[in-house]
Amino acid sequence: MRVLVIGGGGREHALVWKIRQSPKVTDIYCAPGNAGTAEIATNVPIAADQIDQLLEFAEKNEIGLTVVGPEQPLVMGIVDRFQEKGLRVFGPTARAAELEGSKAFSKDIMKKYGLPTADYEIFTSHELAQRYFDKETGPIVVKASGLAAGKGVILCRNAEEGRSAVDTIMKDKSFGEAGDQVVIEEFLEGPEVSVLAFSDGNTVLLMDSAQDHKAALDGDQGPNTGGMGAYSPAPVFTDIMRQKVHDKMMLPLVRAMKSEGRPYVGILYAGLMLTKHGPKILEFNARFGDPETQPLLVRMASDIVPLFEACIDGTLNQCELQWKPESSVCVVMAAKGYPGPYEKGKEISGLKEAGALPDVAVFHAGTKEEGGKVFTSGGRVLGVTATGADTASAIKKAYEAVSKIQWDGIHYRKDIGHRVSN
């Protein structure tokens, strides 16, 4: 079977790496890919949002399975377009992907079907959103409703910060059209956990747990990013909690989407806050998380391709998912300045030395290859991922690999996995 993976980040490199291990796969392509995917797949110079060109490529090259990585093409309806042509594609339709494309829609679905989430209000008026803070003084969360590459959530300690956040999103348009609508919601406290699951529209098969680090700086300080690192499993996520999340959140959500005429097929990602009153849903995403995908896939013992196919065929209830007992950690190496302005085009050294270490995989994100050399081309550049007998040993291996990689203007957190003690 020929497989096409759409996207060019660390998540897609990890997906290509995992899919390539399947005996069902003969050829694998990645569009547009990066310097890392180029080593294990054929890169195709088509951007993830160029749906017409991707469709033409898939038809012309007899692609047997397309796996969509990023949220943007999903929200744009790439799955619908491929399905209309009779092509097998893994991911939710545009109407189902609205779960991620509109935080307002997602919150309203949760409220309608009684799923546990933070109290909230939705605003399309800058003036009314500002007026909200005449009565609200405590900590609050302000979110751009649309897609903002994981950066459209602002945690505010008081009303002043809340007003400033509304200005940033709605007035300054820091996240573009994503900020035409804002969700202002209750500030929840507790550890966060990412739970990803396969869904065929009826059955939900949960993956093992992971925790990521959103803040840019050590000690969970600084602005939110798309993610600075992650580890799996998350010890705080117990088997009892796992069953509760399946029964009370994930399965009800999939049933709700079916009731709404938006059957959900693909990866369902729930960002959870483990509050003192039990787990609550922060958000749903319509695809694999980044950087959670990297530590999850290096631990996944099962062949991933039959799981994709079972979701498409509606036979997920016949599948099981096996995991390796080891722990894993991914440290994101970013460009200096990320998530703000950053420079590109810096030559990277030490990639082969790092990748040659035992139990280490260096997943590329914002990289490009020119003349046999690898250069930075994005904010998050690499996801250095390692496995170990426990989290502490995985952390040690990951940072040993990180120490071998260099470029001008490097930035990474030195405390990924700090929440876990072994």
Side-chain angles (χ1 to χ4, degrees):
M1 180 199 308
R2 292 179 167 186
V3 177
L4 170 64
V5 174
I6 292 172
R11 162 185 51 218
E12 287 76 34
H13 187 184
L15 281 166
V16 168
W17 176 87
K18 181 63 179 172
I19 291 166
R20 188 169 177 258
Q21 296 167 19
S22 173
K24 298 174 72 92
V25 175
T26 54
D27 301 283
I28 185 160
Y29 302 88
C30 192
N34 56 44
T37 59
E39 295 182 356
I40 55 173
T42 302
N43 280 357
V44 180
I46 305 174
D49 59 357
Q50 293 181 307
I51 295 175
D52 289 341
Q53 293 93 319
L54 291 166
L55 192 55
E56 184 183 347
F57 176 86
E59 287 188 303
K60 188 176 179 181
N61 290 275
E62 300 179 343
I63 299 297
L65 172 67
T66 298
V67 179
V68 186
E71 58 271 26
Q72 190 70 45
L74 292 170
V75 171
M76 290 170 66
I78 189 170
V79 168
D80 309 69
R81 295 284 305 282
F82 272 58
Q83 287 177 344
E84 286 164 9
K85 294 289 187 178
L87 294 170
R88 290 172 67 78
V89 56
F90 178 79
T93 61
R95 280 172 54 77
E98 197 172 347
L99 259 185
E100 179 167 8
S102 169
K103 290 185 174 67
F105 168 79
S106 182
K107 294 292 286 190
D108 285 346
I109 283 282
M110 287 187 258
K111 184 177 182 180
K112 179 177 178 179
Y113 289 91
L115 275 65
T117 189
D119 292 336
Y120 68 100
E121 289 190 41
I122 297 167
F123 298 92
T124 52
S125 159
H126 174 262
E127 183 185 347
L128 292 177
Q130 285 286 5
R131 204 177 295 168
Y132 175 89
F133 293 101
D134 292 345
K135 58 178 171 51
E136 185 59 55
T137 57
I140 206 80
V141 183
V142 181
K143 299 179 175 181
S145 180
L147 296 179
K151 305 183 195 83
V153 177
I154 303 175
L155 309 180
C156 309
R157 291 170 294 185
N158 50 47
E160 183 183 358
E161 290 186 2
R163 292 182 196 277
S164 175
V166 168
D167 280 347
T168 297
I169 295 171
M170 302 193 84
K171 189 177 175 183
D172 303 340
K173 291 292 182 188
S174 293
F175 307 107
E177 292 180 4
D180 289 350
Q181 192 175 41
V182 297
V183 177
I184 301 179
E185 66 180 39
E186 171 193 12
F187 186 94
L188 299 177
E189 291 188 84
E192 288 187 41
V193 174
S194 302
V195 180
L196 282 71
F198 293 92
S199 170
D200 66 358
N202 294 297
T203 299
V204 176
L205 186 58
L206 265 61
M207 297 187 213
D208 222 334
S209 58
Q211 280 186 293
D212 77 334
H213 298 260
K214 285 285 187 196
L217 307 174
D218 286 4
D220 298 323
Q221 300 298 305
N224 262 6
T225 70
M228 293 301 296
Y231 56 92
S232 175
V236 70
F237 193 70
T238 63
D239 288 343
I240 292 172
M241 197 178 295
R242 175 189 180 85
Q243 195 63 49
K244 184 175 181 180
V245 167
H246 176 276
D247 296 347
K248 304 292 186 185
M249 297 180 184
M250 306 296 261
L251 191 56
L253 186 278
V254 167
R255 288 173 174 165
M257 292 295 282
K258 188 176 181 180
S259 298
E260 294 287 318
R262 302 169 183 254
Y264 194 95
V265 176
I267 295 295
L268 181 62
Y269 167 134
L272 307 179
M273 181 75 81
L274 307 183
T275 75
K276 60 184 178 182
H277 303 295
K280 291 194 175 186
I281 302 160
L282 295 172
E283 64 179 4
F284 282 114
N285 291 327
R287 36 74 194 177
F288 279 98
D290 190 346
E292 295 97 334
T293 302
Q294 293 88 317
L296 280 169
L297 292 191
V298 297
R299 293 190 57 238
M300 187 183 289
S302 303
D303 185 343
I304 201 169
V305 173
L307 292 162
F308 291 146
E309 295 191 296
C311 289
I312 295 167
D313 295 332
T315 57
L316 193 60
N317 62 340
Q318 300 170 24
C319 296
E320 289 186 355
L321 191 45
Q322 302 296 327
W323 296 92
K324 298 173 185 176
E326 293 91 351
S327 297
S328 57
V329 172
C330 171
V331 177
V332 170
M333 302 183 74
K336 185 180 179 182
Y338 175 81
Y342 55 85
E343 291 184 341
K344 300 179 183 179
K346 304 294 185 181
E347 186 179 348
I348 306 171
S349 64
L351 289 168
K352 286 184 179 174
E353 292 83 350
L357 292 172
D359 307 319
V360 168
V362 179
F363 293 118
H364 291 234
T367 66
K368 64 178 180 179
E369 187 269 333
E370 284 182 4
K373 296 179 179 179
V374 178
F375 298 88
T376 66
S377 67
R380 291 189 293 173
V381 179
L382 301 169
V384 179
T385 307
T387 54
D390 52 33
T391 308
S393 61
I395 290 170
K396 186 177 179 182
K397 291 177 186 178
Y399 278 107
E400 183 185 353
V402 164
S403 72
K404 297 189 179 300
I405 299 170
Q406 298 294 326
W407 71 82
D408 179 29
I410 205 163
H411 165 62
Y412 58 90
R413 282 184 56 166
K414 298 172 181 63
D415 64 346
I416 300 301
H418 70 84
R419 300 187 192 102
V420 183
S421 57
N422 286 293

